[in-house]
């Protein structure tokens, strides 16, 4: 039994092989664990950068500030349109024609107040869409990130909010 071809020798080899395999697996999982740790650390550091920092776009003060910026921009566009340049002065009829007012040049109405309830309803709707079409649920968080990024920089009313939410889930589905 103690001969190289005997039972004791083969059990000893099997034990040694199992120990080596276990050590390899532990080393492999430790490397993977460390890799995940490094990746998560880099994600956290990236989120702390100024590019990721966003204000609370649901606050009334922020929405009112965005609205004032939009009204100011619409007013400036209207003033530019009403004061023709030297090139436009040649064709005075076209310079003062205001029949084709586009929505981008009209001042937006007073803030209706995007609220947390709107966002909650939109997120619930996104989950329904993702579940209905058997998509990865991570798409909802990605599209909500897109939505939050856009809404933190632009004033929107309820209709535009729904449009942006739809566009954000569409982009998240197409990209991811």
């Amino acid at each position: 039994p103690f001969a190289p071809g005997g039972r004791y020798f083969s059990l000893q080899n099997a034990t040694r092989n199992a120990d080596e395999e276990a050590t390899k697996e532990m080393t492999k999982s430790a490397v993977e664990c460390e890799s995940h740790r490094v990746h998560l650390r880099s994600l956290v550091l990236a989120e702390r950068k100024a590019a990721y920092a966003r204000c609370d776009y649901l606050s009334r003060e922020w929405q009112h500030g965005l609205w004032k910026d939009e009204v100011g921009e619409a007013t400036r566009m209207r003033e530019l349109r009403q004061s023709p340049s030297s090139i436009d002065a040649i064709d005075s009829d076209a310079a003062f024609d205001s029949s084709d007012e586009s929505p981008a040049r009209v001042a937006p109405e007073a803030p209706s107040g995007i609220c947390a309830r709107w966002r909650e309803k939109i997120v619930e709707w996104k989950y329904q869409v993702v579940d209905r079409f058997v998509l990865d649920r991570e798409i909802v968080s990605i599209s909500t990130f897109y939505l939050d990024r856009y809404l933190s920089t632009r004033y929107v009313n309820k209709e535009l909010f729904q449009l942006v939410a739809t566009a954000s889930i569409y982009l998240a589905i197409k990209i991811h």
Side-chain angles (χ1 to χ4, degrees):
F2 297 107
R7 178 178 161 87
Y8 179 75
F9 187 75
S10 62
L11 282 176
Q12 190 179 18
N13 283 341
T15 305
R16 189 179 316 129
N17 288 342
D19 287 343
E20 289 174 1
E21 288 296 318
T23 303
K24 286 179 185 177
E25 285 298 318
M26 287 182 359
T27 305
K28 185 178 178 182
S29 72
V31 168
E32 287 177 358
C33 185
E34 184 60 27
S35 171
H36 291 303
R37 190 181 349 258
V38 168
H39 182 69
L40 288 174
R41 188 178 310 128
S42 67
L43 288 175
V44 169
L45 291 174
E47 286 179 352
R48 290 181 181 163
K49 291 182 179 177
Y52 275 86
R54 291 289 170 232
C55 63
D56 178 16
Y57 71 86
L58 297 174
S59 71
R60 287 183 185 267
E61 296 82 21
W62 185 257
Q63 286 295 309
H64 189 70
L66 289 175
W67 175 73
K68 285 172 63 176
D69 291 346
E70 293 253 343
V71 168
E73 182 64 28
T75 304
R76 280 191 296 275
M77 292 298 289
R78 193 174 305 120
E79 288 171 357
L80 285 174
R81 189 162 190 230
Q82 289 176 352
S83 60
S85 66
S86 59
I87 296 172
D88 291 336
I90 296 170
D91 187 9
S92 61
D93 293 336
F96 291 103
D97 182 22
S98 62
S99 62
D100 63 337
E101 284 278 336
S102 68
R105 292 187 178 135
V106 176
E109 67 275 2
S112 59
I114 293 176
C115 61
R117 192 170 39 92
W118 287 13
R119 188 176 185 274
E120 183 180 334
K121 284 182 177 183
I122 287 293
V123 170
E124 287 176 10
W125 173 77
K126 288 178 182 183
Y127 275 116
Q128 290 173 359
V129 169
V130 164
D131 291 342
R132 172 72 172 95
F133 294 105
V134 193
L135 300 169
D136 186 9
R137 294 189 85 169
E138 186 181 6
I139 288 174
V140 173
S141 59
I142 294 168
S143 70
T144 304
F145 173 76
Y146 294 157
L147 177 68
D148 290 342
R149 296 279 299 209
Y150 182 82
L151 294 177
S152 67
T153 60
R154 302 278 195 286
Y155 169 75
V156 296
N157 58 18
K158 190 172 184 175
E159 291 79 23
L160 189 56
F161 180 79
Q162 292 173 344
L163 178 64
V164 171
T166 304
S168 70
I169 195 166
Y170 176 77
L171 285 172
I173 290 169
K174 288 296 184 182
I175 293 173
H176 299 283

